[in-house]
Amino acid sequence: MTEPQLRHLLSISDLSRTMAEQILKTAQAFHEIGKRPVRKVPTLRGKTVINVFYEASTRTRTSFELAGKRLSADVVNIGGSSSSTSKGESLRDTVLTLDAMHASVIVLRHAVSGAAHYVARNTRAAVINAGDGMHEHPTQALLDVFTIRQHKGNDLGGLTVTICGDIQHSRVARSNVQLLRLLGARVRLAGPRTLLPHRTEALGVETFDRLEPALEGADVVMMLRIQRERLGAALFPSSREYARYFGLNARRLSLASPEAIVMHPGPINRGVEISDDVADGPHSVILGQVEAGVAVRMAVLYFLASEPGAEATPA
Amino acid sequence: MTEPQLRHLLSISDLSRTMAEQILKTAQAFHEIGKRPVRKVPTLRGKTVINVFYEASTRTRTSFELAGKRLSADVVNIGGSSSSTSKGESLRDTVLTLDAMHASVIVLRHAVSGAAHYVARNTRAAVINAGDGMHEHPTQALLDVFTIRQHKGNDLGGLTVTICGDIQHSRVARSNVQLLRLLGARVRLAGPRTLLPHRTEALGVETFDRLEPALEGADVVMMLRIQRERLGAALFPSSREYARYFGLNARRLSLASPEAIVMHPGPINRGVEISDDVADGPHSVILGQVEAGVAVRMAVLYFLASEPGAEATPA
Amino acid sequence: MTEPQLRHLLSISDLSRTMAEQILKTAQAFHEIGKRPVRKVPTLRGKTVINVFYEASTRTRTSFELAGKRLSADVVNIGGSSSSTSKGESLRDTVLTLDAMHASVIVLRHAVSGAAHYVARNTRAAVINAGDGMHEHPTQALLDVFTIRQHKGNDLGGLTVTICGDIQHSRVARSNVQLLRLLGARVRLAGPRTLLPHRTEALGVETFDRLEPALEGADVVMMLRIQRERLGAALFPSSREYARYFGLNARRLSLASPEAIVMHPGPINRGVEISDDVADGPHSVILGQVEAGVAVRMAVLYFLASEPGAEATPA
């Protein structure tokens, strides 16, 4: 069996269905490592993973940092305020610098859509897009699908996944729609009409400007984080009004399949897009997503940074 | 010999006398490692230590980071401004996230008293309280006692320890009083009347609203850091006035035992609570406290994170 | 062959010609490691390298961090805003604290000239000056010379090196002048008259208040970064005027030797001290400098932190 020949992970469209399946399968093996007493394998010893986060993040940065360290890579974090970005250095010059230091993998979060693609064109390192503006966040989609498969089985054909929130501006939604469609799931998008994308027929998804019909019989309900900075803007109602029409609560969740799982990429705005009882309730798999995140990122780092010919399965 | 069964270290009251003695004994072994050419043992390889510091700190964060790394653990730092706290995530959700990433130990510093207890109730990880508001800072007390024992012998019975400063608001004092009493030392508390605790009889300590009588014959003089942010507040005189009445200088120190040691948790406000000549003089063991800090934290990490049945003494 | 007995690296004047040659030779061996699939050697396992950066930096801090990690040292970063410096702790007390924690090497960047020398007098750790105010930046000079030797051969005798910019306030220039002179190169300094040093005869260099004559026949052209914060000050023309008279562009570069190399310590102000076509052109070795930086810092860490009697050449 040949391994996926993956040079970067910038967008879900970089992945064939086979590649996606192989990443998910490898992540399964790494998922077990997190539960062991010794959460470490020597797979990427002597590789250099550089986390370049231009936007604040705890969970994603920590998830990649742990993924790298548990693979025995050397991990270096570069943040916003203490870095040369404050001296006005361009993104390209920063990347050329990290390339010259022989980074193996650059993990990039940046506010500008397309930043990761731009970086990838300027380095020999493998680049992982950890969120670029309103564009994509492919490892989030992979960890979401990993989590769905844990609960619903490996075949997503026939599953109905409802994604609700500010679809139009969400990189999480954009990556998920592509990956879910690639793997055969049915996707429904729900949100205020001003925040729904146009021309969704091409994506093969259904859109709803009310939450209730979108939830009917859904197997998976994925709530998006409301970006508080958008509140008050023209496209967006108030936080209270949003919760009233698009917040997931127990009553609304009862419209979905009785075995529906509830997901959220975090951090949660409790009482806005999701109520406390649902976030902490028996249908919630939100913390399982976090756990899956480390495993999926280990798998992606593994495919991008390990030597050709190395063993596919972790020790 | 059975090991202490320690689940978290939140407060000195978590410790029996036997447990405290065992941590101190183990710290002694780790203390030697800091002096070796190779300052590293494989004890916690594959464990994950996450430092979550909501308050600025160099010495405590660095001390825990070095302790973890010298035990071969993977150490991740999470700070205030670059983390999701800036997105308004609750402490509980942050902790549940770290738990889902399989943190072995969470080291927490937080401005709110009780924060570490709250965290401990929400995670499978072991939690170390690295300072919670005005409540406790147990590893500081352990390193202080470790340092006292280096100079005064292992039996604290009969020793007189004078703690001076803003006792009422000091987590360092609160933890030290408990540990010193547990191990049999006599404790005197000195400070401006407005900053002394009430009902100290229950603690088994004596209080003094002047420094001089509290120093008479003392074996150990522990000066607390004045929180400059309290200066100017109603309870507190000016920095100059504080130094005049409660600052430790050579003249005042001469009232203590001729072999008295002088301690301070750092960072020092030179010329306020302690004069330069005393801070840098022959009685000062302040840097010894810093050195002890790494060893004591290695011991605490060891007891909290190592597998049951692992060897008690470091290699 | 005996190794250089180097206690600290504070200034190029700490180095004899033999020592400098040995560091450069060792760096050559480490330079190969960066190109290997496994970029790591166990040389400094169990050593503690503490990066103390009081000024923002990506490239230098990351370069030292990677250098330490690729030598298997434990590396700890201490920055400005999240550290005790915000509590007003003195530099000396911070250093004494790190010393007590058994730092092997302290890498210091500080805005005050002489800060590294001051630190070195207060610690048992080896100290590397990673830039102190307007004074020195010795590892930058070593990596610059390393890069020159890669392109021009090991013997610098007979080479003409032109350094252009705000010479008077540049720690990069100060360190380079000394090292280039030590190794036999001819040095020309060019810049606005107000920014040229006085009494340069003692340094054995020529000065020019116009760029063109300084470039004539030069083998190496080293452009300095313009500190934007100086723009608008009395000594300094506007950014546009500076570019017009002292910016390096293709037309001016044609005055130098046809095989001239162009250097810059980074980060670059594109369009100010250097034009895009030159920065990215065939004469530019700017990224080679970055690459050399990690290797040179590995060599310096190696000489400062490894045990006496350890092998001189990396495995």
Side-chain angles (χ1 to χ4, degrees):
Chain A
M1 192 173 79
T2 49
E3 293 183 15
Q5 290 302 313
L6 198 58
R7 174 79 180 84
H8 302 291
L9 182 60
L10 307 174
S11 164
I12 289 297
S13 61
D14 293 344
L15 297 176
S16 66
R17 181 165 180 160
T18 308
M19 282 179 188
E21 303 264 11
Q22 276 189 292
I23 291 172
L24 292 165
K25 188 181 158 195
T26 303
Q28 188 56 50
F30 285 125
H31 198 255
E32 299 307 311
I33 288 175
K35 299 172 184 167
R36 289 191 199 162
V38 175
R39 304 185 179 100
K40 193 149 186 159
V41 289
T43 315
L44 296 190
R45 214 181 69 80
K47 304 297 180 191
T48 301
V49 175
I50 305 193
N51 285 328
V52 186
F53 275 64
Y54 286 89
E55 293 186 322
S57 164
T58 296
R59 74 188 57 223
T60 308
R61 196 265 297 165
T62 303
S63 185
F64 273 108
E65 185 172 351
L66 284 175
K69 288 181 170 175
R70 289 183 183 162
L71 290 166
S72 301
D74 291 322
V75 182
V76 170
N77 293 313
I78 295 179
S81 66
S82 66
S83 76
S84 280
T85 56
S86 64
K87 294 190 192 170
E89 189 179 46
S90 71
L91 177 59
R92 179 164 171 271
D93 283 334
T94 297
V95 167
L96 291 175
T97 299
L98 300 178
D99 181 82
M101 292 178 186
H102 297 289
S104 311
V105 182
I106 295 174
V107 179
L108 181 79
R109 168 161 293 189
H110 199 284
V112 174
S113 301
H117 283 82
Y118 179 74
V119 163
R121 285 194 297 274
N122 286 284
T123 178
R124 298 162 292 180
V127 176
I128 300 176
N129 181 0
D132 61 328
M134 301 182 295
H135 181 230
E136 283 227 33
H137 190 358
T139 59
Q140 179 71 44
L142 284 162
L143 73 88
D144 287 339
V145 164
F146 183 94
T147 307
I148 294 171
R149 285 163 47 128
Q150 285 189 298
H151 293 272
K152 300 294 178 186
N154 283 352
D155 184 4
L156 268 55
L159 282 186
T160 298
V161 180
T162 299
I163 306 178
C164 174
D166 177 1
I167 307 288
Q168 175 71 351
H169 301 101
S170 170
R171 54 199 182 200
V172 173
R174 206 171 312 276
S175 290
N176 261 300
V177 166
Q178 290 180 76
L179 186 58
L180 289 165
R181 293 294 300 138
L182 182 67
L183 300 177
R186 267 194 304 270
V187 179
R188 298 176 183 165
L189 304 177
R193 203 170 306 173
T194 49
L195 303 178
L196 285 172
H198 316 294
R199 283 187 284 167
T200 51
E201 305 76 24
L203 301 171
V205 301
E206 283 183 282
T207 56
F208 299 79
D209 61 5
R210 285 180 55 232
L211 183 52
E212 287 79 0
L215 289 175
E216 265 177 39
D219 300 293
V220 177
V221 182
M222 194 181 284
M223 303 306 294
L224 300 177
R225 172 180 173 77
I226 286 307
Q227 307 293 324
R228 285 173 182 274
E229 56 271 27
R230 288 201 210 287
L231 290 171
L235 299 172
F236 212 91
S238 72
S239 161
R240 176 185 290 198
E241 204 180 341
Y242 185 84
R244 185 164 162 193
Y245 291 106
F246 291 97
L248 187 65
N249 53 31
R251 183 177 52 79
R252 287 195 174 119
L253 181 56
S254 68
L255 299 170
S257 155
E259 287 83 37
I261 58 172
V262 173
M263 309 180 76
H264 190 294
I268 302 173
N269 291 308
R270 289 170 173 273
V272 184
E273 69 265 7
I274 194 166
S275 65
D276 280 347
D277 57 340
V278 172
D280 304 327
H283 295 269
S284 171
V285 299
I286 296 174
L287 294 171
Q289 291 171 270
V290 175
E291 186 182 8
V294 180
V296 162
R297 283 154 185 145
M298 289 175 80
V300 172
L301 287 172
Y302 167 76
F303 279 114
L304 292 177
S306 63
E307 295 309 298
E311 270 182 86
T313 44
Chain B
M1 193 172 80
T2 50
E3 290 183 15
Q5 290 304 313
L6 199 57
R7 173 81 180 81
H8 303 290
L9 182 60
L10 307 174
S11 163
I12 289 298
S13 61
D14 293 343
L15 298 176
S16 67
R17 181 165 181 161
T18 307
M19 283 178 187
E21 303 264 12
Q22 278 188 292
I23 291 171
L24 292 164
K25 187 181 159 196
T26 303
Q28 187 56 51
F30 286 123
H31 198 254
E32 299 307 311
I33 287 174
K35 299 172 183 167
R36 290 191 199 162
V38 174
R39 304 183 180 99
K40 192 147 184 160
V41 289
T43 315
L44 297 189
R45 212 180 71 79
K47 304 297 180 189
T48 302
V49 175
I50 305 193
N51 286 328
V52 186
F53 275 65
Y54 286 88
E55 294 186 322
S57 163
T58 296
R59 73 189 57 224
T60 307
R61 195 266 298 166
T62 303
S63 185
F64 272 109
E65 185 172 351
L66 284 175
K69 288 180 170 175
R70 289 181 182 163
L71 290 166
S72 300
D74 291 322
V75 182
V76 170
N77 293 313
I78 295 178
S81 65
S82 66
S83 75
S84 279
T85 56
S86 64
K87 294 190 192 169
E89 188 179 46
S90 72
L91 177 59
R92 178 164 172 272
D93 282 333
T94 298
V95 167
L96 291 175
T97 299
L98 301 178
D99 180 81
M101 292 178 187
H102 297 290
S104 312
V105 182
I106 295 174
V107 180
L108 181 80
R109 169 161 292 189
H110 199 284
V112 174
S113 301
H117 284 81
Y118 178 74
V119 163
R121 284 194 298 273
N122 286 284
T123 179
R124 297 161 295 180
V127 177
I128 300 176
N129 181 0
D132 61 329
M134 301 183 294
H135 180 230
E136 284 228 33
H137 191 359
T139 59
Q140 180 70 43
L142 285 163
L143 74 89
D144 287 338
V145 163
F146 183 95
T147 307
I148 293 171
R149 284 162 47 128
Q150 286 188 298
H151 293 273
K152 300 295 180 184
N154 283 352
D155 183 5
L156 268 54
L159 283 187
T160 297
V161 180
T162 298
I163 307 178
C164 174
D166 177 0
I167 306 289
Q168 176 70 353
H169 300 101
S170 170
R171 56 198 180 199
V172 174
R174 205 170 314 275
S175 289
N176 260 300
V177 167
Q178 289 180 76
L179 185 59
L180 289 166
R181 294 294 299 136
L182 181 68
L183 300 177
R186 268 194 303 270
V187 179
R188 297 175 183 165
L189 305 177
R193 204 169 306 173
T194 49
L195 302 178
L196 284 172
H198 315 297
R199 283 187 284 168
T200 51
E201 305 76 23
L203 301 172
V205 300
E206 283 182 284
T207 57
F208 299 79
D209 62 4
R210 284 180 56 231
L211 183 53
E212 287 79 359
L215 289 174
E216 265 177 37
D219 301 293
V220 177
V221 183
M222 194 180 287
M223 303 305 295
L224 300 177
R225 172 179 173 77
I226 286 306
Q227 306 294 323
R228 285 172 181 274
E229 56 272 27
R230 289 201 209 287
L231 290 172
L235 300 171
F236 212 91
S238 72
S239 161
R240 176 186 290 196
E241 204 180 342
Y242 185 85
R244 186 163 163 195
Y245 291 106
F246 291 96
L248 186 65
N249 54 30
R251 182 177 52 77
R252 287 197 174 118
L253 181 55
S254 69
L255 297 170
S257 154
E259 288 84 34
I261 58 173
V262 173
M263 307 180 77
H264 190 295
I268 302 173
N269 291 307
R270 291 170 172 273
V272 184
E273 69 263 6
I274 194 166
S275 66
D276 280 347
D277 58 339
V278 172
D280 303 327
H283 294 270
S284 171
V285 298
I286 295 173
L287 294 170
Q289 291 171 268
V290 175
E291 187 182 7
V294 180
V296 161
R297 283 156 185 146
M298 289 174 81
V300 172
L301 287 172
Y302 167 76
F303 279 115
L304 292 177
S306 62
E307 294 310 297
E311 271 182 85
T313 44
Chain C
M1 192 174 79
T2 49
E3 292 181 16
Q5 291 303 312
L6 199 57
R7 173 82 179 81
H8 302 291
L9 182 60
L10 307 175
S11 164
I12 290 297
S13 62
D14 294 343
L15 298 176
S16 67
R17 181 165 183 160
T18 307
M19 282 178 187
E21 303 264 11
Q22 277 188 293
I23 290 171
L24 292 164
K25 188 181 158 196
T26 303
Q28 187 56 50
F30 286 123
H31 199 255
E32 299 307 312
I33 287 174
K35 299 172 184 167
R36 290 190 199 164
V38 175
R39 306 185 177 101
K40 192 147 186 159
V41 289
T43 315
L44 296 190
R45 214 181 69 80
K47 304 296 181 189
T48 302
V49 175
I50 305 192
N51 286 328
V52 186
F53 276 65
Y54 286 89
E55 293 186 323
S57 164
T58 296
R59 74 190 57 225
T60 307
R61 194 265 299 166
T62 303
S63 185
F64 273 108
E65 185 172 351
L66 284 175
K69 287 181 170 175
R70 289 182 182 162
L71 290 166
S72 301
D74 291 322
V75 183
V76 170
N77 292 313
I78 295 178
S81 65
S82 65
S83 76
S84 280
T85 55
S86 64
K87 295 191 193 170
E89 188 179 46
S90 72
L91 178 59
R92 180 165 171 272
D93 283 333
T94 298
V95 167
L96 291 175
T97 298
L98 301 178
D99 180 82
M101 292 178 186
H102 297 291
S104 311
V105 182
I106 294 173
V107 179
L108 182 79
R109 170 160 291 189
H110 199 284
V112 174
S113 301
H117 284 81
Y118 178 75
V119 163
R121 285 193 298 274
N122 286 284
T123 179
R124 297 161 294 180
V127 177
I128 300 176
N129 182 0
D132 61 329
M134 301 183 295
H135 181 229
E136 283 227 33
H137 191 359
T139 59
Q140 179 71 42
L142 285 162
L143 74 88
D144 287 339
V145 163
F146 183 95
T147 307
I148 295 170
R149 285 163 46 129
Q150 285 189 298
H151 293 272
K152 299 295 179 185
N154 284 350
D155 184 4
L156 268 54
L159 282 187
T160 297
V161 180
T162 299
I163 306 178
C164 174
D166 177 1
I167 306 289
Q168 176 70 351
H169 301 101
S170 170
R171 55 198 181 199
V172 173
R174 206 171 313 275
S175 290
N176 260 300
V177 167
Q178 290 180 75
L179 185 59
L180 290 165
R181 293 294 299 137
L182 181 69
L183 300 177
R186 267 195 305 269
V187 178
R188 298 173 183 167
L189 304 177
R193 204 170 305 172
T194 48
L195 302 177
L196 285 171
H198 315 297
R199 282 187 287 169
T200 51
E201 305 77 23
L203 301 172
V205 301
E206 282 182 284
T207 56
F208 299 79
D209 61 6
R210 284 181 55 233
L211 183 51
E212 286 79 0
L215 288 175
E216 265 177 36
D219 301 291
V220 177
V221 183
M222 194 181 286
M223 303 305 294
L224 301 177
R225 173 180 173 76
I226 286 307
Q227 308 293 323
R228 285 172 182 274
E229 56 271 28
R230 289 201 209 287
L231 289 171
L235 298 171
F236 212 92
S238 73
S239 160
R240 176 186 291 198
E241 204 180 341
Y242 184 85
R244 185 165 164 193
Y245 291 107
F246 290 98
L248 187 65
N249 53 31
R251 183 177 51 78
R252 286 195 175 119
L253 180 56
S254 69
L255 298 169
S257 155
E259 288 85 35
I261 58 172
V262 174
M263 307 179 78
H264 191 294
I268 303 173
N269 291 308
R270 290 170 173 273
V272 183
E273 70 262 6
I274 193 165
S275 65
D276 279 346
D277 59 338
V278 173
D280 303 327
H283 294 269
S284 172
V285 299
I286 295 173
L287 294 171
Q289 291 172 268
V290 175
E291 187 182 8
V294 179
V296 162
R297 284 158 184 144
M298 288 175 81
V300 171
L301 287 172
Y302 167 76
F303 279 115
L304 292 177
S306 62
E307 295 310 297
E311 270 182 86
T313 44

